[in-house]
C-alpha cells in the first residue's frame, strides 16, 4: 500500500487509470475542429456561469410570456409575440456570451440557432405555452403564497428593507452625470417599486393591473438595452431580479383580490 507522503507516486502519470476518452471529457479538452469545440466557441462551455445565465433567461422568458398572454387578447397575435420573445431572449443570452470573447460578432451558427429557436417555438407553441404560460403562472402564485401568506409580517418588512437598501445603493453609487446611467438607474428603481405600488396602492383596479404588467415587461427590455450602453452589471441584475419579484407580487395580489388564489390553493396546479 502506498504512503500519503510518497509525492512522487502521487504525481506519477503512470498511475492514471482513466482512458484517453475519459480524460478528454472530464478535463474539458475539445478535439481541434470537433463539433464540441465549434459549439463551445459559438455558445460557451458548460459551467456554473452558463447554467446561471440559462436560469435567468428562463425566468425572463417566463415573465415576457405571461405579460404578453395577460395583455394581448388575440391568440394569433399572442403567438407572434411569444415567438419573438423566445428569439429575443436567446439573442440576448448569446450576445452576453459573445461580449466575453475576443471576437464579439454574432456568428453564422448563432444565426442558425436563432432561426431554429423561432421555428421550434412556433411548431411546439402549445407545449411552450403550457410550460411558460400555465406552469409559469402557477409558479408565481406558489411563490407569492409561500412568501406572503406563510410570513405575513416578516416578508413585507424584509421586502421593504432590501428594496430601500438597493435603492440607496443605486442612488449613491450608480447615478452619475451621464444621462444613460441615470436612465438605467431610474429603470432599476421602477422595477423595484412596481410590484409594491400595485399591491398596496392600486390593487383591484383592472386598468392598473395591465399597466403594471406592461411596465414590468418594459423595464426588463429597457434594462437590457441600457446595459448594452452602460455595461453596468449591477443595474442589469437588479432590474431583472426585481422585475421578476414585482411580477410575482402583481400576479399574486391580483389573484388574491379576484379569488383565483383561493381556488388555486384548493385545487392545485391541475
Amino acid at each position: 500500500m502506498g504512503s500519503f507522503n510518497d509525492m512522487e507516486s502521487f504525481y506519477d502519470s503512470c498511475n492514471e487509470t482513466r482512458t484517453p476518452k475519459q480524460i478528454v471529457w472530464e478535463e474539458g479538452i475539445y478535439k481541434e475542429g470537433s463539433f464540441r469545440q465549434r459549439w463551445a466557441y459559438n455558445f460557451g462551455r458548460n459551467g456554473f456561469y452558463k447554467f446561471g445565465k440559462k436560469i435567468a433567461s428562463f425566468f425572463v422568458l417566463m415573465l415576457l410570456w405571461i405579460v404578453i398572454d395577460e395583455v394581448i387578447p388575440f391568440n394569433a397575435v399572442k403567438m407572434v409575440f411569444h415567438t419573438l420573445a423566445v428569439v429575443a431572449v436567446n439573442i440576448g443570452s448569446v450576445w452576453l456570451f459573445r461580449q466575453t470573447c475576443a471576437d464579439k460578432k454574432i456568428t453564422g451558427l448563432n444565426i442558425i440557432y436563432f432561426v431554429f429557436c423561432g421555428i421550434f417555438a412556433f411548431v411546439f407553441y402549445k407545449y411552450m405555452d403550457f410550460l411558460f404560460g400555465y406552469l409559469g403562472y402557477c409558479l408565481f402564485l406558489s411563490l407569492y403564497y409561500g412568501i406572503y401568506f406563510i410570513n405575513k409580517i416578516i416578508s413585507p418588512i424584509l421586502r421593504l428593507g432590501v428594496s430601500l437598501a438597493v435603492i440607496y445603493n443605486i442612488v449613491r453609487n450608480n447615478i452619475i452625470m451621464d444621462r444613460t446611467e441615470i436612465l438605467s438607474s431610474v429603470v432599476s428603481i421602477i422595477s423595484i417599486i412596481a410590484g409594491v405600488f400595485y399591491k398596496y396602492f392600486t390593487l383591484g383596479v383592472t386598468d392598473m393591473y395591465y399597466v403594471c404588467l406592461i411596465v414590468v415587461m418594459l423595464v426588463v427590455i429597457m434594462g437590457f438595452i441600457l446595459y448594452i450602453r452602460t455595461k453596468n452589471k449591477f443595474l442589469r441584475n437588479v432590474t431583472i431580479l426585481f422585475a421578476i419579484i414585482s411580477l410575482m407580487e402583481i400576479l399574486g395580489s391580483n389573484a388574491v383580490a379576484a379569488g383565483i388564489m383561493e381556488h388555486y390553493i384548493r385545487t392545485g396546479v391541475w
Side-chain angles (χ1 to χ4, degrees):
M1 181 178 292
S3 170
F4 282 108
N5 296 322
D6 186 3
M7 300 306 294
E8 290 185 5
S9 176
F10 180 77
Y11 287 109
D12 188 0
S13 60
C14 295
N15 291 333
E16 179 63 73
T17 59
R18 296 178 297 176
T19 65
K21 187 174 182 180
Q22 285 177 310
I23 295 174
V24 168
W25 279 89
E26 293 176 12
E27 300 296 333
I29 302 171
Y30 297 161
K31 184 179 179 180
E32 188 69 28
S34 66
F35 177 77
R36 288 186 71 213
Q37 186 188 52
R38 292 198 300 271
W39 186 268
Y41 172 77
N42 287 276
F43 300 100
R45 291 171 177 260
N46 293 324
F48 286 111
Y49 170 74
K50 187 175 181 180
F51 178 74
K53 189 170 62 174
K54 291 297 181 184
I55 294 295
S57 299
F58 182 85
F59 275 98
V60 168
L61 179 55
M62 190 176 290
L63 181 150
L64 297 176
W65 196 287
I66 292 173
V67 173
I68 291 171
D69 195 42
E70 290 287 293
V71 172
I72 299 178
F74 307 108
N75 290 332
V77 180
K78 285 182 184 180
M79 183 180 297
V80 173
F81 277 94
H82 281 152
T83 302
L84 291 176
V86 172
V87 176
V89 169
N90 280 280
I91 290 175
S93 178
V94 172
W95 182 86
L96 287 175
F97 164 69
R98 297 305 305 172
Q99 301 313 297
T100 65
C101 304
D103 182 9
K104 295 179 171 54
K105 294 180 180 179
I106 298 295
T107 66
L109 186 58
N110 293 149
I111 295 174
I112 294 173
Y113 173 73
F114 301 149
V115 174
F116 171 79
C117 288
I119 296 174
F120 184 88
F122 188 79
V123 173
F124 296 97
Y125 177 78
K126 179 179 178 181
Y127 303 100
M128 297 193 72
D129 186 47
F130 176 76
L131 174 62
F132 292 105
Y134 180 71
L135 290 184
Y137 185 77
C138 291
L139 174 62
F140 280 110
L141 291 190
S142 297
L143 290 173
Y144 184 88
Y145 176 78
I147 294 174
Y148 285 101
F149 273 62
I150 297 177
N151 301 296
K152 293 184 178 181
I153 298 177
I154 298 176
S155 296
I157 294 175
L158 184 62
R159 170 73 159 97
L160 178 63
V162 172
S163 299
L164 291 176
V166 175
I167 291 174
Y168 173 78
N169 186 292
I170 292 173
V171 173
R172 180 174 182 178
N173 301 320
N174 293 278
I175 290 185
I176 58 177
M177 295 306 295
D178 180 70
R179 288 181 296 178
T180 307
E181 197 82 19
I182 293 174
L183 181 58
S184 183
S185 299
V186 171
V187 167
S188 298
I189 293 173
I190 292 174
S191 73
I192 295 173
I193 66 176
V196 174
F197 177 78
Y198 176 77
K199 178 178 172 62
Y200 293 106
F201 297 102
T202 62
L203 180 62
V205 181
T206 303
D207 291 341
M208 288 306 301
Y209 171 67
Y210 293 115
V211 168
C212 289
L213 287 178
I214 293 173
V215 167
V216 167
M217 180 176 65
L218 290 179
V219 296
V220 170
I221 297 172
M222 286 294 297
F224 187 83
I225 294 174
L226 290 168
Y227 168 73
I228 296 176
R229 292 287 303 275
T230 64
K231 297 298 188 294
N232 191 320
K233 293 183 179 180
F234 173 75
L235 292 179
R236 180 200 68 190
N237 294 338
V238 166
T239 301
I240 293 175
L241 174 61
F242 279 92
I244 293 171
I245 294 174
S246 289
L247 178 66
M248 174 198 69
E249 292 172 334
I250 294 169
L251 294 177
S253 55
N254 181 72
V256 172
I260 300 173
M261 180 65 78
E262 182 179 350
H263 173 76
Y264 172 70
I265 296 170
R266 187 173 60 252
T267 61
V269 174
W270 304 107

